[in-house]
Amino acid sequence: MITQLPVEGMRNTYDSALVECESTAELQPLEEIIGQDRALKALDFGLNIKEAGFNIYASGVHGTGRKAAVEKFLNELARTRPRGNDWIYVNNFKNPYEPNAIQLPPGMGREFRDDMAAFIAEAKRVIPKIFESEDYVNRRDAALRSFETEKAKLFARIDASAKEKGFVIQPGPQGLLTIPLKDGTPLEQESFLALPEEEQRGYQKKREELTIEMRNTFRQLRDLDQKGTETIEQLNREVALSAMGHRVASLKDKYAKADEILSFIDAVQTEMVENLPQFMGEMQQPQVPPQFQNPLIKELMFRKYEVNVIVDNSDNSGAPVVFEQNPTYPNLFGKLEKEFSYGVVTTDFSMIRPGSIHKANGGFLVLPVEELFRNPFSWDGLKTALKTGKVAIEEPGERMGYITTKSIKPESIPLDLKVVLIGTPMVNQILYTQDPDFSELFKVKADFDATMDRNEENVRKYSAFVCTLCKKFQLKHLDRSAVAKVVEYGSRLADDQKKLTTRFSLIADVIREASYYAAQDGAEMITEKHILKAIDERTYRSSLIQEKIQEYIRRGVFLIDTEGEKVGQVNGLSVISLGDIEFGRPSRVTASIGVGRGGIMDIEREASMGGPTHTKGVLILSGYLANKFAQDKPLSLNARLVFEQSYEGVDGDSASSTELYAILSSLSGLPLKQYIAVTGSVNQNGEVQAIGGVNQKLEGFFEVCKAKGLTGEQGAMIPASNVQNLMLKEEIVEAAKAGKFRIYPVNTIDEGIEVLTGIKAGERQPDGTFKEGTVNYLVDKRLREMAETFREYQGPES
């Protein structure tokens, strides 16, 4: 017969004497990342390889420290890398709709911006004074004097020619008038008409000649005015260039190694001398009353000379590391801000705002992949940037072709960065199988394990982690008994006696709560009882549904027997997950049989309440029965299996052995012990296989037994391969020590049926039969009788 599991096998306790310190206050804080050697090796490879496409996907379940590990690794690596370059946007004077991007060494962007601002401020101060100076007035008058002399000569010459021809030129309402002279006296209109016709014709001929001369003279005057204007403009340019020349030369000397900066300074200088009036004091907007003039206009006149620094790495000590927690499209790729004034929406290069990808250029960008997918266009935009090696700032609607209004199109910026996505294994699988670009752009997978080996080295690191946590968040330190309980809790979270969880966020939460309870008790340190209280309180806060179910079982609403024996009925164990808590729930499993060829019917499946894995487990039962009992006769069996009082879906194959025991009991007529619950899956050869949630299942049945009264006979039967997963509550361990609860590990169905019936299962003998009185003998005998009955029933009809 199968013996029960020793108490020592129910929980892998950790002796507090093995803790190498009296308290965590004696330890040094942990500097390394523990339990993630595989992931760290992948990170080291992916972040140091230079080839394109070797970006990283950090895969792991929540709470395994993916973000903290990546952040720590990147910060250490970034300190050894050069700082990223600065990036600025400046006005494109040839085409303002396409601003120019300029790359500068770190820190130079801010410096150049300040230098340009100082240069323009000085120009606004100096230029008006220069043009108001006496020297400029003298030069201007001297330049105009020759033109005025030439104009005077032209006027004198045309006047002389007019007098010679008998005319005088006088201004009139509609321009210059040529009035005839008679003996030096201007003739009135009446006097002129009184002249002989021959004399009038002579005057008319001379007037025409004079008109031609006047046209030529006016043309010469216009040419002189044009030359005068050009001369003054040239003088103004020379004066302005002379006034600002030393400042321009100083800027060019300072930024001599930046060719694009030199080109921009030249463009600014040219633009300034072409638009000198804007520097000449107040400029009023034409035809607009002062009270309605827009102050923005004056600002816009000088904004075109500004420098928009979008990336400033002057304060960094190494390569930039950017964690973008909200990767919306604007946050990630930048945006174009707009101004609204007097019904007009405007934008320009100075309103270009960077995104995280710009700030991380030359370094590292970390993104949570779930948040990335929640934001439209962000994933596609990231792929485009990585594939093209450039990042463009544009409106999301424009990218999709929805916006056609005219706007600026900033020059694209070349990318040189590593992207690290942080996500779950499921998302990684979906991306790898459904998005062909993913495998080309994220070639490195850093897989964060949820567990690590429970050995002395890792226990020491666990203790150091606790020390780090306590010092970082000013928590009370743990004594050695508390450290031992934290180690045991780590194994419980890992569901493995030989493992520790690497979901340090869960460990940290328990320690924070324990520190709170220690403070309430006035204790100097966290002790064992505070850790246990924190764990119990966390469970209590979420166990309302669990307690309701146990209450219904205790009051007989849910029918569960924990005493006696019954045929075709057994207590199965399942797990209910509510997100923040998982707990075991016993369920009554019954089997009914009859003669027929229907085989085994899963009522859960027929009612569309069974999942595919549960259906598979039930179908395996038919294979087991056929393999074991149908070698010398047909299997003439109709069996019905059901989880009684199950009102939600059922999935998983962990109840397949339970269902098989119920069928064997119904066939053999042997009652099963109701005080022993069962879990475990089975294969067609009758081997009992490991299942998940073994701790929660056993604890759930124990709570029911405790509520209905412990008799000393109660217990549960589990797969032998699950013993290594047992980290049961200390209450169950103590009950087992007192002989009030038992656990039976089994390897085969034969071993399990012996535990449940107290009768030998029976091996097949050389003649193909089973030893009389065994369970298998009774099952085989009943199946043979059913086959005979079915054949007799079918005989007359055939």
Side-chain angles (χ1 to χ4, degrees):
M1 299 293 289
I2 300 301
T3 58
Q4 68 184 51
L5 181 70
V7 173
E8 294 76 16
M10 297 182 182
R11 180 183 178 90
N12 186 7
T13 58
Y14 191 77
D15 188 354
S16 61
L18 297 176
V19 179
E20 298 178 352
C21 60
E22 290 297 328
S23 76
T24 55
E26 302 174 5
L27 301 176
Q28 291 297 321
L30 186 69
E31 298 293 337
E32 61 180 303
I33 300 167
I34 61 175
Q36 304 295 351
D37 294 340
R38 184 192 308 274
L40 294 181
K41 188 174 182 180
L43 284 172
D44 182 65
F45 166 74
L47 295 174
N48 285 291
I49 189 171
K50 301 299 183 183
E51 281 69 17
F54 284 84
N55 297 294
I56 301 167
Y57 186 96
S59 174
V61 298
H62 294 284
T64 51
R66 299 165 300 171
K67 181 178 180 295
V70 168
E71 183 176 11
K72 181 178 178 62
F73 194 93
L74 287 181
N75 287 336
E76 292 176 355
L77 180 62
R79 285 195 289 268
T80 65
R81 299 286 183 87
R83 292 185 294 171
N85 291 312
D86 288 354
W87 282 94
I88 64 174
Y89 272 107
V90 295
N91 187 31
N92 181 352
F93 294 101
K94 294 181 180 179
N95 184 2
Y97 289 101
E98 295 182 2
N100 294 326
I102 299 178
Q103 176 181 326
L104 295 174
M108 189 177 286
R110 180 195 298 179
E111 190 174 355
F112 181 60
R113 178 194 63 194
D114 295 341
D115 286 344
M116 283 302 300
F119 172 64
I120 297 301
E122 185 174 352
K124 292 163 68 175
R125 179 182 61 84
V126 170
I127 290 178
K129 291 183 177 181
I130 289 293
F131 286 100
E132 293 172 359
S133 67
E134 183 178 351
D135 178 66
Y136 169 75
V137 172
N138 292 335
R139 292 178 63 183
R140 184 177 183 277
D141 290 344
L144 292 176
R145 192 173 297 120
S146 61
F147 293 102
E148 295 297 329
T149 302
E150 289 295 324
K151 289 167 67 175
K153 289 180 180 180
L154 288 175
F155 280 120
R157 188 166 55 212
I158 194 65
D159 283 341
S161 178
K163 289 180 179 180
E164 182 181 343
K165 291 180 171 55
F167 288 90
V168 63
I169 300 175
Q170 293 182 352
Q174 296 180 350
L176 294 178
L177 301 177
T178 54
I179 301 173
L181 295 174
K182 184 71 171 180
D183 300 328
T185 302
L187 293 175
E188 298 292 337
Q189 182 70 15
E190 294 81 1
S191 301
F192 179 77
L193 294 177
L195 293 174
E197 291 185 5
E198 185 66 24
E199 190 174 356
Q200 289 184 26
R201 283 195 294 268
Y203 274 111
Q204 189 64 32
K205 182 178 179 182
K206 292 179 180 181
R207 175 177 284 172
E208 292 175 358
E209 293 174 355
L210 180 60
T211 300
I212 294 173
E213 289 185 24
M214 289 177 63
R215 288 198 191 101
N216 293 332
T217 300
F218 291 148
R219 185 166 55 250
Q220 291 175 340
L221 288 171
R222 284 196 299 270
D223 292 342
L224 285 174
D225 287 339
Q226 180 66 29
K227 289 180 180 179
T229 301
E230 292 175 356
T231 300
I232 296 303
E233 289 178 351
Q234 180 62 29
L235 174 62
N236 290 344
R237 283 194 289 268
E238 292 174 358
V239 170
L241 290 174
S242 175
M244 302 305 299
H246 69 285
R247 184 65 177 173
V248 171
S250 176
L251 283 174
K252 287 188 173 182
D253 290 342
K254 185 174 183 179
Y255 300 100
K257 296 182 179 180
D259 293 339
E260 291 182 283
I261 291 295
L262 297 180
S263 299
F264 174 69
I265 293 174
D266 288 338
V268 168
Q269 187 178 24
T270 302
E271 182 72 14
M272 288 174 62
V273 298
E274 294 296 332
N275 295 275
L276 285 175
Q278 68 187 15
F279 291 91
M280 306 296 290
E282 295 292 331
M283 290 187 62
Q284 300 297 325
Q285 300 172 45
Q287 300 179 354
V288 179
Q291 64 270 26
F292 296 112
Q293 291 187 4
N294 187 353
L296 181 63
I297 298 298
K298 183 178 178 181
E299 177 189 347
L300 290 176
M301 289 190 301
F302 297 100
R303 185 184 290 179
K304 58 187 174 182
Y305 304 118
E306 294 178 359
V307 174
N308 182 8
V309 181
I310 66 165
V311 178
D312 180 11
N313 285 306
S314 57
D315 296 329
N316 291 347
S317 58
V321 178
V322 177
F323 283 75
E324 180 53 72
Q325 300 297 326
N326 183 27
T328 63
Y329 190 89
N331 285 355
L332 197 55
F333 300 102
K335 59 185 176 181
L336 303 175
E337 292 184 345
K338 297 177 177 60
E339 288 179 334
F340 184 84
S341 179
Y342 293 93
V344 178
V345 178
T346 61
T347 187
D348 58 35
F349 77 96
S350 67
M351 287 181 271
I352 299 172
R353 298 294 176 259
S356 299
I357 199 167
H358 298 92
K359 298 174 184 177
N361 202 7
F364 311 97
L365 175 63
V366 184
L367 301 169
V369 70
E370 290 91 347
E371 296 298 327
L372 189 66
F373 290 148
R374 289 191 181 101
N375 292 283
F377 314 124
S378 294
W379 173 241
D380 288 335
L382 179 63
K383 291 194 299 180
T384 300
L386 293 177
K387 285 190 289 186
T388 61
K390 295 181 179 180
V391 57
I393 300 178
E394 57 187 349
E395 298 286 350
E398 182 180 353
R399 176 182 177 85
M400 300 303 294
Y402 298 148
I403 297 178
T404 58
T405 55
K406 191 172 185 179
S407 183
I408 62 174
K409 187 176 182 180
E411 182 182 359
S412 298
I413 291 178
L415 276 183
D416 178 22
L417 82 167
K418 288 285 185 178
V419 178
V420 181
L421 297 181
I422 298 179
T424 62
M426 179 180 293
V427 174
N428 176 74
Q429 182 180 1
I430 292 172
L431 286 173
Y432 204 90
T433 56
Q434 302 299 321
D435 190 336
D437 293 328
F438 178 74
S439 59
E440 294 297 321
L441 298 175
F442 293 86
K443 298 178 183 291
V444 181
K445 178 182 179 183
D447 217 346
F448 283 76
D449 198 350
T451 62
M452 63 182 182
D453 292 335
R454 176 171 160 176
N455 52 43
E456 292 306 314
E457 177 64 22
N458 283 338
V459 168
R460 282 194 291 271
K461 292 178 179 178
Y462 238 56
S463 302
F465 162 76
V466 174
C467 172
T468 305
L469 183 75
C470 293
K471 289 186 176 181
K472 182 177 181 180
F473 296 100
Q474 291 80 48
L475 305 176
K476 290 183 178 297
H477 280 278
L478 282 68
D479 68 7
R480 58 173 52 195
S481 68
V483 172
K485 290 305 172 186
V486 168
V487 171
E488 293 178 12
Y489 185 61
S491 290
R492 169 57 189 257
L493 292 176
D495 280 327
D496 197 316
Q497 295 181 353
K498 300 179 180 180
K499 296 286 185 180
L500 292 170
T501 185
T502 57
R503 300 182 69 181
F504 292 105
S505 63
L506 301 179
I507 298 293
D509 287 343
V510 168
I511 294 174
R512 290 187 182 98
E513 293 183 30
S515 179
Y516 168 77
Y517 294 126
Q520 280 193 325
D521 290 347
E524 293 184 1
M525 292 187 181
I526 300 172
T527 63
E528 173 184 354
K529 72 172 185 177
H530 299 127
I531 296 293
L532 293 177
K533 183 175 182 180
I535 295 172
D536 291 341
E537 289 294 328
R538 286 172 65 85
T539 302
Y540 175 75
R541 290 195 296 268
S542 302
S543 61
L544 176 62
I545 301 300
Q546 179 184 7
E547 292 180 2
K548 290 292 184 182
I549 292 174
Q550 292 171 357
E551 179 186 351
Y552 291 156
I553 292 174
R554 186 176 65 252
R555 295 170 58 186
V557 178
F558 290 154
L559 301 178
I560 297 292
D561 292 330
T562 58
E563 297 181 22
E565 301 178 356
K566 290 188 178 179
V567 175
Q569 176 178 306
V570 64
N571 289 325
L573 299 175
S574 60
V575 173
I576 295 177
S577 177
L578 299 179
D580 59 338
I581 186 174
E582 291 183 343
F583 59 90
R585 175 195 170 181
S587 299
R588 175 179 290 179
V589 177
T590 60
S592 60
I593 62 170
V595 177
R597 288 291 179 87
I600 300 176
M601 175 187 290
D602 177 15
I603 294 179
E604 308 293 336
R605 178 189 179 189
E606 296 299 318
S608 299
M609 295 176 65
T613 308
H614 179 258
T615 300
K616 175 187 174 183
V618 172
L619 294 176
I620 287 174
L621 304 185
S622 298
Y624 171 82
L625 293 175
N627 183 52
K628 187 135 189 169
F629 301 108
Q631 302 301 309
D632 55 355
K633 57 187 173 299
L635 197 62
S636 304
L637 172 68
N638 276 337
R640 303 290 186 271
L641 291 171
V642 68
F643 276 72
E644 303 290 357
Q645 292 185 294
S646 172
Y647 306 109
E648 64 276 340
V650 176
D651 200 6
D653 63 350
S654 64
S656 57
S657 66
T658 310
E659 294 166 326
L660 183 53
Y661 293 134
I663 292 176
L664 295 177
S665 172
S666 294
L667 289 171
S668 65
L670 297 173
L672 301 178
K673 298 173 182 177
Q674 301 300 295
Y675 46 85
I676 297 179
V678 179
T679 186
S681 68
V682 66
N683 61 30
Q684 293 187 115
N685 296 320
E687 297 171 319
V688 179
Q689 303 167 142
I691 44 82
V694 63
N695 291 295
Q696 291 83 357
K697 291 176 179 179
L698 294 180
E699 289 168 357
F701 186 64
F702 174 79
E703 293 295 333
V704 171
C705 294
K706 184 176 70 171
K708 301 188 76 168
L710 293 171
T711 63
E713 293 183 329
Q714 294 142 337
M717 193 164 63
I718 65 171
S721 53
N722 274 125
V723 171
Q724 60 189 330
N725 303 116
L726 292 179
M727 285 297 296
L728 295 172
K729 292 180 179 179
E730 295 186 17
E731 182 184 8
I732 299 181
V733 176
E734 294 301 321
K737 286 181 181 179
K740 295 182 179 180
F741 197 77
R742 307 165 187 228
I743 297 176
Y744 300 92
V746 297
N747 292 289
T748 64
I749 291 297
D750 285 349
E751 292 178 358
I753 200 68
E754 289 180 3
V755 173
L756 290 173
T757 63
I759 298 174
K760 285 287 186 180
E763 297 289 335
R764 189 178 291 276
Q765 301 180 106
D767 61 356
T769 62
F770 296 95
K771 184 177 180 180
E772 187 173 351
T774 62
V775 176
N776 288 333
Y777 171 82
L778 296 175
V779 172
D780 188 62
K781 177 181 177 183
R782 181 67 185 279
L783 288 173
R784 192 178 302 278
E785 291 171 354
M786 294 172 71
E788 290 293 333
T789 301
F790 185 77
R791 185 164 47 247
E792 292 174 2
Y793 179 77
Q794 290 287 90
E797 292 185 0
S798 59

